[in-house]
Amino acid sequence: MISEQAKQRMRELAARYPVARSAVMPALYIAQAEEGYVSRAALEAVAEVLNMTVDDVESVATFYTMYYQRPPGKKVIKVCNSISCYLRGCDALIEQLERRLRIKRGETSPDGRYTLLTVECLASCGTAPVLQVNDEFVENLTPELVDRLVDQWEAEFQAEGQSQGRSPAGAGGC
Amino acid sequence: MAEEAKNDGLVHLTIDGIPVAVPPGTLVWAAAKQAGIEIPIYCYHPKMPPLGACRMCFVEIEKMPKPPQTACTTPVSEGMVVHTKTEKVLKARRGTLEFLLINHPLDCPICDKGGECDLQDFTLRHGPGATRFDLRKRHYPKPIPVSDRVLLDRERCILCQRCTRFCSEISMDNGLVMINRGYRMEVGTAPGQAFDSIFSGNTVEICPVGALTSAKYRFKARPWELKRIPSVCNNCSVGCNVRIDVRVDKIMRQMSRCNDDIDDGWLCDRGRWDFDYVNDAQRLRTPLVRRQPGGVLEPAGWGEALGMIAERLRTIKERYGASAIGGIGSTRTTNEEAYLFQKLLREALGTPNVDHHHGFFPGLRDPLTERPWMLTTAIADFERASHIVLVASDPYERQPILNLRIKKALKAGARIYVVNESPTELDRLATRVIRLPQHGAGAAARLLLEAALRQENLRNPSEEVRTRVLGTPQETRQAEALCGAETTAALRELAREIAAAPAALILYDEMATLAPGCANLAPDLQALAVITGNIDRPGAGVGPLFEDANSLGARDMGLLPDSLPGYRPASPAGLSYQEMLTSDAVKALYIMGANPARHLADGNLRRGKEFIVVQEILLTESAQQADVVLPALSYAEKDGSMTNVDHHVQAIRRALRPLPGARADWEILMDLAALLGHPWSYEGPEDVLLEIAAQHPLYQGLTWEGLGLQGVRTGEVEVAHA
């Protein structure tokens, strides 16, 4: 379900442009924020507000990689694999993350904790190699730093599980 | 001489050494085509803006950097020198084709497109003979249905985007879209969404490969087995030009045959795929007669059936007089047949009772313009309208290809106003939608006209209209009460827009005039266009959208109780369609290509009738009640002319051998006339057309040969004389 407030924000955005369709990308972000990914309900809500067809919205939503077609993990890890990070050894780091998180790039772990993505330039070549965790930068990556990061995330999930008085969350995520 | 040539307003260039002169803005691809040089294309389609996606149309242009260039995106310029066959060009084309074929399944032997496939043809003419790709090809499940009518094979797709751009640029419904990007890109729809468009078949037709195929035609024929006959679609009043593709006397498919003035190169799914009645195994193949009253219909020879008709009609005429005979004609038979039908009734049988099922238009002509009731503008001129007002009409459902022309007008800047009882496909794109109560169209027309009359500076004020409308304020109050305050206010606002519009086009459905309270729909909207000056100006106009392929032809030919061919008044006037069906004074009904049982509440045609003849292709509800049923031929089995909604007179041509046992309506009428003592001497429909041309101002000068492949739009002739 896309809330009425979200739809209202889309309408306000649409009103800023000469053509309502121009607001399709920010509107998709609003819809994605509601449910974590671009669901059928999200497509329909955007189509309705912007007077587009559902197929038209789907075409835009699938063109851009930052709209998720499926529910992502709680931690979305985006590792840059453009030229600077590549020259500074991102490939090995990505493989290390794949081993530690037990998923391949592009996948979400079955317990819904992690999504591992490779992305194009994150505009931080001076501190390459870099990654983002839920849009927060981690710079000047080394294999040791990656290990520490994963340990830290695991510890966070552990603590979360204990504070809720039960074992780590099952599959599903958001 | 060279100087002289330069002043012709054209751009001059050289392509492969051939001098070419084309209008400014022409693309290099089109200029080459004019010079007879083939430049292969996939993504480009002449009816859509250039895209430059497929990289197939490479040419080399002197003095342009970084050769080769794409011919479909480059406009010509003066003095340009183009080469289409240099080594660089040929290498680039080979490269493009090699890439396109990397994942292509090469399943040509079982592909519907094989034999008429641009990928096959261009690979043969421009491609490499072999591939260097020795890895595994990508596979997808195939085919996947994108709708009940269209299937998608993603392995064959070359991602040219013609289909998706048709959906965004032409039909504007975005039914098919590109999903994902890069090497993952594919054609598709939103998850779980069907490609549900009345125009979906066009994507199959313009697909340059076998990626989109039609459920109806799949695996039915190979292109080289088909006989292709130019004709005209019989399914609505637009009269889109088609090519009937026939295999062993069965229609396999109908394809668009571009007529810029009518269909603009498109065909709706009804036109493309609704021809089952022609191929139907239940087609009537022999006359049927009811030998005893209350008996069953039994097969009979033509001699017995026609003899029975002549004898029974003669008896009824002697007993009750000629006016006890009524004739109900067709909106789907040819002009020639409609003409002969009324001639048989009026001259051979002597009855004035001739009519057909049609909308309600008071009198033969609109009293303000003295013109017969018809659209006052050409379809092609819709594009020049500033405002298009659709009152009680839904072209998407009823005259689909006009919907595309309206969308073309929309792209050219026209505003769309939908005034209708129920939602329509155009609502989404309309500037304003005014929702009417049930049977509210008559009231809406009244309120529009009344509000327009109150405008100052009317372009063409008419005292006659003013007196009629403003003199009956109680009718206006009734209309207000029916529509409600909000709708009334919206209609008045719209009337002000129409009065000030540079060119408003007002369209209504012919059959909407039959709804209760809508008797003045046609004259009120006609008057609205006349007083606001929206008539006889480019893009402006008014008129009914007719129902069937020859609805207008039927009117022209005098299948009306008060009109002879050419809208000459009939005297005395005969009984109307409804009167013939319900009056006890009519003892015999002669029905050609119509099914009036549908228009009676209980479907009973026989009440008070002693004798009924039906000429039909299938045993319809009406035919089942007849005393004699005569098997007729469909539009695909005979020659003749039809008149479409904007008065294009067009030729339909025999595409199939006539069904054995059945005969064309005109042949049947000729034989019957002879039996009734009126031997006519027409050799064929072309002779009948000459007789029509000799006495009908709107058909003056027409000949069968003169109709050609694109027909002739008449109507302006009489406008000039009026």
Side-chain angles (χ1 to χ4, degrees):
Chain A
M1 264 297 287
I2 305 299
S3 66
E4 193 44 47
Q5 294 95 302
K7 284 191 193 170
Q8 187 51 37
R9 280 170 62 211
M10 294 181 201
R11 276 185 213 108
E12 283 160 14
L13 268 169
R16 289 191 203 166
Y17 299 93
V19 182
R21 193 183 198 285
S22 304
V24 62
M25 294 188 62
L28 275 168
Y29 274 122
I30 293 170
Q32 174 160 287
E34 291 271 299
E35 301 197 286
Y37 73 110
V38 179
S39 63
R40 173 80 195 186
L43 292 176
E44 281 168 6
V46 174
E48 180 205 315
V49 169
L50 303 183
N51 192 18
M52 294 167 67
T53 65
V54 177
D55 309 274
D56 206 1
V57 181
E58 166 80 356
S59 183
V60 176
T62 56
F63 185 86
Y64 296 100
T65 53
M66 285 160 79
Y67 298 120
Y68 303 131
Q69 305 303 313
R70 281 172 293 281
K74 284 183 182 156
K75 286 195 187 295
V76 179
I77 300 129
K78 297 174 187 163
V79 192
C80 173
N81 65 355
S82 286
I83 185 73
S84 301
C85 294
Y86 171 76
L87 291 173
R88 305 268 293 155
C90 70
D91 276 6
L93 300 174
I94 295 165
E95 281 165 20
Q96 187 187 352
L97 279 165
E98 286 179 335
R99 275 196 309 277
R100 288 286 321 264
L101 301 177
R102 290 188 296 279
I103 50 175
K104 295 282 178 208
R105 60 199 82 181
E107 290 179 352
T108 298
S109 58
D111 60 9
R113 283 181 174 176
Y114 303 105
T115 295
L116 178 61
L117 300 172
T118 56
V119 297
E120 301 306 329
C121 187
L122 289 172
S124 187
C125 301
T127 57
V130 297
L131 61 73
Q132 283 183 327
V133 194
N134 291 355
D135 299 338
E136 296 264 325
F137 271 97
V138 185
E139 300 164 301
N140 297 310
L141 291 172
T142 59
E144 297 72 34
L145 181 50
V146 166
D147 270 336
R148 279 210 305 282
L149 273 173
V150 177
D151 292 341
Q152 185 191 321
W153 298 333
E154 287 291 308
E156 280 175 34
F157 281 119
Q158 206 78 36
E160 202 178 288
Q162 276 161 10
S163 75
Q164 286 171 7
R166 53 187 168 87
S167 55
C174 24
Chain B
M1 194 198 121
E3 278 309 303
E4 227 172 279
K6 298 270 152 113
N7 291 331
D8 54 9
L10 299 175
V11 177
H12 302 78
L13 68 159
T14 312
I15 306 178
D16 291 348
I18 302 170
V20 189
V22 290
T26 306
L27 299 168
V28 170
W29 175 82
K33 189 169 189 233
Q34 189 184 313
I37 298 166
E38 178 192 78
I39 298 175
I41 46 167
Y42 292 122
C43 69
Y44 182 65
H45 187 281
K47 291 289 179 189
M48 296 194 279
L51 180 67
C54 75
R55 320 313 288 173
M56 192 63 228
C57 63
F58 285 133
V59 294
E60 212 177 326
I61 300 173
E62 285 184 14
K63 295 184 193 148
M64 276 184 82
K66 290 209 281 180
Q69 278 78 30
T70 45
C72 82
T73 59
T74 313
V76 296
S77 61
E78 188 63 36
M80 194 180 248
V81 180
V82 182
H83 301 284
T84 75
K85 297 185 177 70
T86 63
E87 190 41 48
K88 205 171 254 168
V89 168
L90 298 180
K91 182 165 183 258
R93 288 186 192 162
R94 277 198 303 274
T96 296
L97 276 166
E98 192 174 1
F99 273 121
L100 288 180
L101 289 166
I102 276 184
N103 277 309
H104 191 80
L106 296 174
D107 55 353
C108 312
I110 53 129
C111 177
D112 275 331
K113 204 78 178 186
E116 56 181 9
C117 171
D118 288 345
L119 189 58
Q120 230 179 17
D121 294 349
F122 293 154
T123 301
L124 186 74
R125 295 206 280 272
H126 307 277
T131 179
R132 288 171 286 175
F133 186 77
D134 55 6
L135 303 171
R136 208 173 291 165
K137 285 181 190 262
R138 180 170 61 181
H139 288 292
Y140 286 117
K142 68 185 227 173
I144 52 169
V146 288
S147 74
D148 293 345
R149 300 182 286 221
V150 179
L151 294 101
L152 168 67
D153 183 323
R154 290 168 292 175
E155 294 179 351
R156 294 177 188 158
C157 179
I158 58 167
L159 300 173
C160 71
Q161 303 178 41
R162 267 192 198 174
C163 57
T164 59
R165 284 184 341 117
F166 172 83
C167 294
S168 60
E169 306 275 343
I170 307 292
S171 70
M172 296 170 86
D173 54 18
N174 293 294
L176 282 180
V177 291
M178 300 310 297
I179 304 283
N180 284 319
R181 70 164 157 184
Y183 71 94
R184 287 199 186 87
M185 189 185 245
E186 59 183 76
V187 171
T189 61
Q193 191 87 2
F195 173 34
D196 223 351
S197 164
I198 190 73
F199 306 113
S200 68
N202 291 295
T203 63
V204 176
E205 179 159 352
I206 63 177
C207 179
V209 299
L212 292 170
T213 49
S214 116
K216 182 120 185 174
Y217 173 73
R218 273 172 74 79
F219 309 131
K220 290 285 192 309
R222 304 301 282 172
W224 53 86
E225 303 172 319
L226 297 170
K227 201 170 73 170
R228 295 144 192 255
I229 297 93
S231 191
V232 176
C233 175
N234 198 246
N235 286 350
C236 85
S237 63
V238 182
C240 298
N241 291 195
V242 297
R243 195 187 76 208
I244 306 183
D245 283 5
V246 174
R247 178 171 179 269
V248 204
D249 291 320
K250 291 269 181 279
I251 303 184
M252 291 291 115
R253 61 181 183 183
Q254 290 192 158
M255 305 289 271
S256 169
R257 187 166 63 81
C258 181
N259 185 331
D260 287 341
D261 291 335
I262 296 173
D263 49 58
D264 208 21
W266 310 118
L267 185 62
C268 76
D269 289 357
R270 274 165 63 196
R272 192 176 296 278
W273 292 320
D274 286 2
F275 50 74
D276 284 345
Y277 61 95
V278 178
N279 294 344
D280 200 319
Q282 302 299 315
R283 281 278 301 271
L284 295 167
R285 289 164 171 267
T286 174
L288 303 171
V289 299
R290 210 180 294 274
R291 292 195 173 95
Q292 277 91 39
V296 293
L297 280 169
E298 297 168 86
W302 276 96
E304 183 189 352
L306 290 174
M308 186 170 173
I309 296 170
E311 191 227 303
R312 295 292 303 275
L313 290 179
R314 227 181 256 135
T315 318
I316 286 171
K317 189 173 164 180
E318 275 161 23
R319 190 176 304 161
Y320 304 101
S323 57
I325 302 172
I328 291 173
S330 176
T331 48
R332 295 180 71 167
T333 58
T334 64
N335 285 323
E336 294 73 20
E337 289 163 340
Y339 174 83
L340 291 185
F341 183 76
Q342 61 84 34
K343 187 169 172 172
L344 179 86
L345 269 291
R346 288 188 169 121
E347 289 180 18
L349 292 165
T351 172
N353 304 327
V354 182
D355 204 354
H356 69 288
H357 181 61
H358 54 80
F360 180 74
F361 301 93
L364 299 185
R365 293 159 188 270
D366 155 44
L368 293 173
T369 61
E370 290 290 318
R371 275 189 261 206
W373 293 102
M374 66 175 82
L375 194 56
T376 66
T377 181
I379 292 172
D381 282 341
F382 284 20
E383 291 163 34
R384 299 161 80 183
S386 65
H387 295 62
I388 298 181
V389 184
L390 290 150
V391 182
S393 54
D394 186 358
Y396 183 86
E397 297 289 341
R398 310 246 311 146
Q399 300 87 6
I401 291 300
L402 294 187
N403 170 284
L404 294 186
R405 192 68 78 154
I406 291 167
K407 284 168 177 163
K408 203 170 174 190
L410 175 79
K411 288 193 98 170
R415 297 175 179 206
I416 315 284
Y417 296 81
V418 178
V419 184
N420 210 47
E421 285 175 22
S422 42
T424 73
E425 194 261 356
L426 275 173
D427 289 3
R428 195 170 64 83
L429 303 169
T431 300
R432 178 118 202 216
V433 177
I434 301 176
R435 191 66 69 232
L436 296 178
Q438 200 189 10
H439 306 319
R446 169 80 185 197
L447 291 172
L448 286 170
L449 178 58
E450 193 258 358
L453 280 167
R454 295 184 186 281
Q455 297 300 300
E456 287 172 16
N457 306 326
L458 272 182
R459 293 195 187 106
N460 191 8
S462 154
E463 217 32 62
E464 193 185 331
V465 178
R466 177 174 287 276
T467 317
R468 171 166 78 81
V469 175
L470 300 186
T472 51
Q474 69 289 357
E475 284 184 29
T476 304
R477 278 197 298 276
Q478 276 169 14
E480 284 173 4
L482 178 59
C483 290
E486 199 179 321
T487 301
T488 301
L491 288 165
R492 296 212 157 113
E493 172 64 35
L494 175 55
R496 280 191 284 279
E497 293 241 12
I498 293 171
L505 172 63
I506 303 160
L507 304 170
Y508 56 96
D509 196 283
E510 172 197 11
M511 294 305 173
T513 58
L514 295 176
C518 293
N520 276 329
L521 181 62
D524 281 356
L525 291 178
Q526 185 90 13
L528 173 66
V530 171
I531 63 165
T532 57
N534 282 305
I535 201 161
D536 296 339
R537 281 189 300 134
V542 62
L545 300 180
F546 286 109
E547 174 151 283
D548 281 334
N550 207 30
S551 286
L552 182 51
R555 301 181 66 79
D556 282 352
M557 293 306 121
L559 289 190
L560 293 169
D562 50 354
S563 168
L564 303 176
Y567 300 101
R568 287 170 292 135
S571 169
L575 298 176
S576 73
Y577 182 76
Q578 275 303 328
E579 288 165 344
M580 280 190 269
L581 293 178
T582 50
S583 163
D584 285 344
V586 176
K587 301 293 179 193
L589 274 182
Y590 198 119
I591 300 166
M592 176 180 82
N595 190 4
R598 276 182 315 171
H599 300 126
L600 291 171
D602 60 357
N604 182 9
L605 274 183
R606 297 238 44 132
R607 198 168 299 108
K609 304 289 179 276
E610 293 182 9
F611 186 61
I612 298 177
V613 182
V614 173
Q615 276 175 219
E616 253 304 348
I617 62 174
L618 291 162
L619 198 63
T620 59
E621 296 92 328
S622 299
Q624 287 166 24
Q625 300 177 44
D627 296 284
V628 181
V629 182
L630 301 173
L633 294 178
S634 70
Y635 73 101
E637 299 157 289
K638 62 188 176 189
D639 290 341
S641 71
M642 301 253 180
T643 304
N644 83 337
V645 66
D646 74 338
H647 219 279
H648 275 84
V649 184
Q650 308 193 88
I652 60 161
R653 289 188 179 73
R654 199 175 103 166
L656 311 174
R657 271 185 304 182
L659 184 77
R663 309 182 63 197
D665 291 295
W666 66 268
E667 294 176 292
I668 302 172
L669 297 172
M670 291 243 322
D671 282 358
L672 194 58
L675 279 178
L676 291 166
H678 289 255
W680 295 334
S681 58
Y682 314 109
E683 296 266 328
E686 57 282 2
D687 286 354
V688 184
L689 182 59
L690 286 177
E691 185 170 314
I692 296 168
Q695 53 176 276
H696 198 310
L698 293 176
Y699 291 73
Q700 214 171 2
L702 292 186
T703 60
W704 171 248
E705 295 74 23
L707 296 181
L709 285 172
Q710 306 256 290
V712 179
R713 180 165 183 257
T714 59
E716 305 293 358
V717 188
E718 186 168 274
V719 172
H721 112 108

